[in-house]
């Protein structure tokens, strides 16, 4: 503590020393000469992403380089965005976002991953092309074992694989379909559920998605014999009636620990 490392005791509950913390961050940034070029090609990072009713896929981003403007096209992994609107942290629409500015972007082709980087490209055609190439590359990189992998697999098969298959067939499988409000929550929920250990029951997450629980989710759950778990999301009109008719269980909660306990039970 002390020395070159700034230490500010704060209390989020009481709101103590938050202003002092911000002042120290600004002072440290000035001393370290941390600067961004507002004229550079725009780059940034996705903080959180969600599916909003009436708006479609939206994402909160922070601009790290350059200045993002309405009408710009950006590429972010397997998705792209032609910025239709930008909303600041006060809920106001803005026309431009310089470095270090957080904004909510509208106009995404799909929901981007939280933590993914984005950059501005010349036009929508280039953004779409880059997104498609990323999607193809991601698909081709999955499930392509090398020759060495094949040899190792054949060596490890046999008695061990037979016992593993027998134990798996004896275990009961509990299947779930997850729906969450934002990508970050979905990732945290999936990670927590996959850490649940049980010798008698295997947990299988059939699908995880962002947005409200829909009738399609209920139909998929009926077909696959799964329960639907909703975290901090609403239900589409008529969902409970459809679930009752098809005999599908729907669980909703806004506290992640209670959902984990529910799955454990």
């Amino acid at each position: 503590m002390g020395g070159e490392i700034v230490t500010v005791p704060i209390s989020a509950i009481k709101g103590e020393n938050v202003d002092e913390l911000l002042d120290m961050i600004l002072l440290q940034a000035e001393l370290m000469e941390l600067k961004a070029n507002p004229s550079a090609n725009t780059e940034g990072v996705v903080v959180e992403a969600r599916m909003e009713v009436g708006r479609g896929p939206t994402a909160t981003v922070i601009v790290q380089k350059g200045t993002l403007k309405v009408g710009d096209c950006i590429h972010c992994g397997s998705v792209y965005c032609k910025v239709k609107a930008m909303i600041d942290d006060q809920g106001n629409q803005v026309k431009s976002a310089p470095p270090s500015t957080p904004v909510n972007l509208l106009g995404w082709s799909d929901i981007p991953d939280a933590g993914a980087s984005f950059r501005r490209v010349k036009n929508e055609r280039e953004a779409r092309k880059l997104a498609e190439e990323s999607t193809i590359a991601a698909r081709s990189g999955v499930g392509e074992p090398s020759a060495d992998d094949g040899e190792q697999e054949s060596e490890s098969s046999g008695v061990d694989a037979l016992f593993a298959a027998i134990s798996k067939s004896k275990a009961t499988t509990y299947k779930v379909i997850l729906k969450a409000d934002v990508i970050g929550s979905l990732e945290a929920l999936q990670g927590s559920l996959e850490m649940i250990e049980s010798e008698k029951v295997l947990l299988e997450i059939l699908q995880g998605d962002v947005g409200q629980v829909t009738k399609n989710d209920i139909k998929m759950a009926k077909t696959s014999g799964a329960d639907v778990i909703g975290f901090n999301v609403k239900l589409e009109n008529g969902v409970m009636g459809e679930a009752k008719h098809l005999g599908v269980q729907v669980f909703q909660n806004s506290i992640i620990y209670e959902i984990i306990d529910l799955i454990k039970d």
Side-chain angles (χ1 to χ4, degrees):
M1 297 177 66
E4 295 181 357
I5 308 302
V6 176
T7 305
V8 182
I10 69 167
S11 170
I13 296 174
K14 298 178 181 178
E16 293 178 352
N17 290 350
V18 175
D19 291 336
E20 286 81 352
L21 174 63
L22 295 174
D23 289 339
M24 293 306 296
I25 290 172
L26 292 173
L27 175 62
Q28 190 78 348
E30 189 175 339
L31 292 172
M32 296 174 68
E33 297 184 349
L34 300 178
K35 297 178 181 179
N37 184 359
S39 302
N41 188 44
T42 309
E43 294 180 10
V45 64
V46 176
V47 179
E48 192 55 276
R50 65 193 66 79
M51 180 69 74
E52 293 188 31
V53 178
R55 288 181 172 177
T58 67
T60 303
V61 306
I62 289 184
V63 180
Q64 296 174 314
K65 284 183 183 178
T67 301
L68 188 63
K69 299 176 182 177
V70 173
D72 284 351
C73 295
I74 59 176
H75 164 244
C76 180
S78 59
V79 300
Y80 65 93
C81 175
K82 183 173 183 181
V83 182
K84 292 181 180 178
M86 293 192 294
I87 302 169
D88 65 12
D89 58 319
Q90 303 297 321
N92 303 315
Q93 287 202 20
V94 294
K95 297 293 184 182
S96 63
S100 81
T101 304
V103 285
N104 193 25
L105 298 187
L106 280 66
W108 293 90
S109 61
D110 204 348
I111 302 171
D113 293 330
S117 299
F118 69 84
R119 65 182 179 89
R120 185 173 66 86
V121 294
K122 286 189 295 184
N123 50 45
E124 190 174 0
R125 181 186 298 174
E126 184 180 350
R128 186 185 296 111
K129 180 184 176 183
L130 290 170
E132 289 173 352
E133 288 175 355
S134 297
T135 303
I136 293 170
R139 286 175 180 171
S140 62
V142 176
E144 290 188 357
S146 62
D148 293 340
D149 293 336
E151 291 175 8
Q152 291 175 3
E153 188 176 341
S154 61
E155 290 174 6
S156 62
S157 60
V159 179
D160 292 340
L162 180 61
F163 279 119
I166 292 171
S167 61
K168 188 173 182 179
S169 64
K170 288 182 178 179
T172 303
T173 302
Y174 179 52
K175 301 176 182 179
V176 295
I177 293 173
L178 301 180
K179 298 301 289 279
D181 54 346
V182 293
I183 285 286
S185 299
L186 181 64
E187 290 176 353
L189 184 58
Q190 284 181 324
S192 298
L193 295 182
E194 287 169 355
M195 289 173 64
I196 297 175
E197 296 181 356
S198 174
E199 296 180 357
K200 297 181 179 179
V201 182
L202 296 173
L203 177 66
E204 184 177 355
I205 301 173
L206 297 180
Q207 179 177 300
D209 205 356
V210 171
Q212 62 183 353
V213 179
T214 65
K215 291 181 179 179
N216 286 336
D217 296 325
I218 303 301
K219 291 174 182 176
M220 179 181 288
K222 172 62 177 177
T223 304
S224 55
D227 287 350
V228 179
I229 310 293
F231 174 66
N232 210 21
V233 292
K234 296 180 180 179
L235 304 178
E236 190 180 66
N237 291 336
V239 161
M240 289 309 295
E242 183 82 3
K244 189 175 181 180
H245 175 69
L246 296 177
V248 174
Q249 292 191 95
V250 179
F251 299 103
Q252 284 179 284
N253 208 309
S254 58
I255 301 174
I256 193 166
Y257 304 108
E258 293 186 2
I259 288 186
I260 294 168
D261 290 339
L262 175 72
I263 298 294
K264 285 181 178 178
D265 293 341

